[in-house]
């Protein structure tokens, strides 16, 4: 039984810890002599994303332990998140495109005007079950990034206790969706675009490090770049770096048996060639994430001493200007409609007493106050 199908039937007793540990792993990273040794080894688990950067820059010193287990959810929180997942699946099934960009909330980043920190690709035809999310996580026990497939339920529950609970989807027309799904499901391509070293604040146009959202951006470039459009020599990196084809580990028989998932079958990531090509393609396509603003030089200086935060890949002028150009879910969502005008966005926000669904590119506010055109469902029970 796949993780996704098992998670779909999970009861409210499914914990965030189980959902996170149940991820089947897509291949291994590069050899140990090239892995990033900056990450802590607090537990054999996973943490990810831009949230680490902003925590490190002043939210809470204690919260900068990236590898802590996510807090278990109480019954009400689990019920709210499972209801939201049911609505997400309903929307995806109605759309029936091959892939959707999905982003979820996690760390509270409202003071930085950031609603979402982690993005992945929900794949209709995933071998792990319909709409499993392929994404990059930082594997704390191995101190390196890996690719994982995770059911939508686990994708949302792994954020831990978050209120309100948010999820954003970008839906694509059939042809570009199939292009992206084909690229993402090709293990060789997916692994060629996986870096051997992780940084929560990885610079968009450097191959030294990578974060979760940057892998998605490079996958989009791999799928959608057309060399005929601008006449450049940036070819599609079909086998540029000889990455081995990785296998998906066997999944647990059900969501409550998550700890029985085995380690990935060994394989290799790319040597950076495919990533360099993808970044040239991103530049040709006009990908330019808005800078993340850093409040002070003191915080910028302190960031270099925090695990999984790096400054050595960023242009020095950016650092002096107190900004970092980092791939975020918002940057990905702004990028897609520039390339694919027929793309659409659906945002869902679950509070203690209602579910708000908005269709359109204008995001909900921090409190998920519905507008006149939004759909509101009151929770019962």
């Amino acid at each position: 039984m796949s993780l996704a199908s098992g998670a779909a039937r999970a009861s409210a007793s499914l914990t965030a810890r189980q959902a996170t540990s149940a991820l089947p792993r897509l291949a291994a990273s590069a050899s140990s002599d090239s892995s990033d040794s900056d990450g802590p080894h607090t537990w054999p688990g996973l943490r990810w994303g831009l949230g680490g950067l902003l925590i490190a820059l002043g939210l809470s010193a204690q919260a900068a332990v990236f590898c802590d287990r996510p807090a278990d959810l109480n019954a009400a929180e689990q019920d709210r998140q499972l209801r939201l997942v049911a609505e997400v699946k309903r929307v995806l099934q109605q759309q029936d495109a091959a892939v959707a960009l999905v982003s979820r909330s996690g760390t509270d980043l409202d003071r930085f005007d950031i609603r979402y920190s982690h993005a992945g690709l929900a794949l209709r035809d995933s071998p792990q079950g319909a709409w499993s999310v392929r994404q990059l996580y930082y594997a704390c026990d191995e101190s390196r990034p890996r690719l994982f497939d995770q059911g939508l339920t686990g994708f949302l529950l792994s954020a831990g206790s978050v209120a309100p609970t948010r999820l954003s989807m970008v839906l694509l027309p059939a042809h570009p969706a199939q292009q992206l799904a084909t690229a993402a499901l090709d293990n060789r391509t997916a692994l060629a675009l996986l870096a051997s070293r992780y940084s929560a604040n990885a610079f968009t146009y450097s191959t030294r490090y990578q974060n979760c959202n940057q892998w998605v951006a490079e996958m989009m470039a791999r799928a959608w770049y057309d060399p005929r459009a601008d006449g450049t020599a940036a070819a599609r990196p079909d086998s540029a770096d000889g990455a081995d084809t990785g296998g998906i580990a066997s999944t647990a028989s059900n969501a409550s048996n998550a700890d029985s998932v085995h380690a990935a079958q060994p394989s290799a990531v790319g040597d950076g060639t495919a990533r360099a090509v993808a970044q040239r393609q991103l530049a040709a396509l006009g990908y330019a994430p808005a800078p993340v603003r850093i409040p002070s030089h003191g915080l910028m200086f302190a960031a270099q001493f925090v695990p999984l935060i790096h400054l050595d890949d960023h242009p020095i002028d950016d650092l002096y200007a107190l900004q970092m150009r980092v791939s975020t879910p918002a940057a990905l969502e702004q990028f897609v409609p520039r390339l694919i005008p027929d793309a659409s966005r659906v945002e869902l926000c679950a509070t203690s007493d209602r579910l708000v669904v908005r269709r359109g590119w204008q995001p909900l506010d921090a409190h998920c106050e519905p507008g006149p055109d939004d759909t509101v469902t009151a929770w019962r029970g």
Side-chain angles (χ1 to χ4, degrees):
M1 180 186 299
S2 70
L3 171 64
S5 60
R9 289 191 288 272
S11 68
S13 64
L14 175 62
T15 66
R17 181 178 307 174
Q18 289 171 324
T20 304
S21 62
L23 307 184
R25 304 181 180 189
L26 173 63
S29 276
S31 59
S32 58
D33 59 351
S34 63
S35 64
D36 189 355
S37 60
D38 290 337
H41 298 265
T42 308
W43 73 289
L46 310 162
R47 290 296 278 174
W48 54 87
L50 178 67
L53 165 65
L54 298 179
I55 289 172
L57 295 178
L59 291 184
S60 167
Q62 293 180 340
V65 181
F66 295 93
C67 299
D68 285 347
R69 291 182 184 270
D72 290 345
L73 305 178
N74 62 40
E77 290 170 328
Q78 292 175 31
D79 181 65
R80 181 176 69 245
Q81 295 196 9
L82 290 170
R83 290 188 189 190
L84 189 151
V85 168
E87 180 63 18
V88 169
K89 290 181 178 179
R90 188 187 68 80
V91 173
L92 289 171
Q93 289 164 359
Q94 288 179 340
Q95 178 75 8
D96 198 35
V99 66
L101 171 68
V102 292
S103 306
R104 62 159 175 73
S105 55
T107 304
D108 182 1
L109 306 176
D110 281 350
R111 72 186 68 185
F112 295 91
D113 198 28
I114 293 177
R115 304 279 183 261
Y116 298 94
S117 60
H118 182 69
L121 298 173
L123 296 155
R124 181 190 61 198
D125 302 322
S126 169
Q128 302 302 328
W131 305 117
S132 290
V133 181
R134 180 157 286 191
Q135 66 211 286
L136 183 153
Y137 277 113
Y138 180 76
C140 296
D141 54 332
E142 300 169 85
S143 299
R144 63 182 60 178
R146 284 185 178 271
L147 298 182
F148 293 82
D149 292 333
Q150 183 179 35
L152 273 170
T153 303
F155 177 75
L156 193 61
L157 288 175
S158 60
S161 180
V162 179
T165 303
R166 301 171 179 269
L167 190 141
S168 176
M169 297 182 286
V170 174
L171 308 175
L172 304 168
H175 180 61
Q178 190 59 59
Q179 288 177 309
L180 182 56
T182 299
L185 286 170
D186 181 350
N187 290 352
R188 187 181 186 90
T189 298
L191 291 168
L193 295 177
L194 176 63
S196 62
R197 295 189 292 178
Y198 177 87
S199 177
N201 63 316
F203 177 53
T204 300
Y205 286 108
S206 170
T207 61
R208 183 171 298 174
Y209 308 108
Q210 190 176 44
N211 71 9
C212 56
N213 307 309
Q214 182 65 27
W215 178 83
V216 175
E218 292 171 13
M219 184 58 64
M220 289 177 172
R222 168 64 178 83
W224 293 335
Y225 177 76
D226 183 355
R228 297 169 296 182
D230 62 7
T232 68
R236 291 168 69 92
D238 291 325
S239 57
D241 49 14
D244 201 2
T245 302
I248 301 290
S250 59
T251 60
S253 59
N254 55 58
S256 63
N257 192 27
D259 290 337
S260 69
V261 177
H262 298 296
Q265 300 174 17
S267 66
V269 298
D271 63 2
T273 304
R275 291 198 62 213
V277 171
Q279 290 181 13
R280 290 197 296 270
Q281 294 170 338
L282 279 173
L285 292 170
Y287 182 62
V292 175
R293 304 293 178 180
I294 310 304
S296 71
H297 287 288
L299 290 177
M300 182 73 80
F301 176 78
Q304 64 188 307
F305 300 106
V306 179
L308 305 184
I309 302 297
H310 302 86
L311 303 182
D312 56 332
D313 55 332
H314 289 266
I316 190 66
D317 289 344
D318 282 1
L319 300 181
Y320 280 125
L322 296 180
Q323 65 181 25
M324 296 183 185
R325 284 174 283 168
V326 179
S327 286
T328 64
L332 298 175
E333 290 193 349
Q334 293 163 8
F335 178 55
V336 172
R338 291 185 55 190
L339 298 181
I340 306 168
D342 292 337
S344 61
R345 180 178 183 270
V346 180
E347 184 176 14
L348 303 95
C349 183
T351 66
S352 60
D353 61 353
R354 67 188 179 190
L355 172 67
V356 180
V357 180
R358 172 169 293 183
R359 294 179 179 270
W361 295 99
Q362 181 63 37
L364 288 162
D365 66 16
H367 304 290
C368 295
E369 289 297 327
D373 298 324
D374 297 336
T375 300
V376 180
T377 302
W379 298 139
R380 295 181 180 178

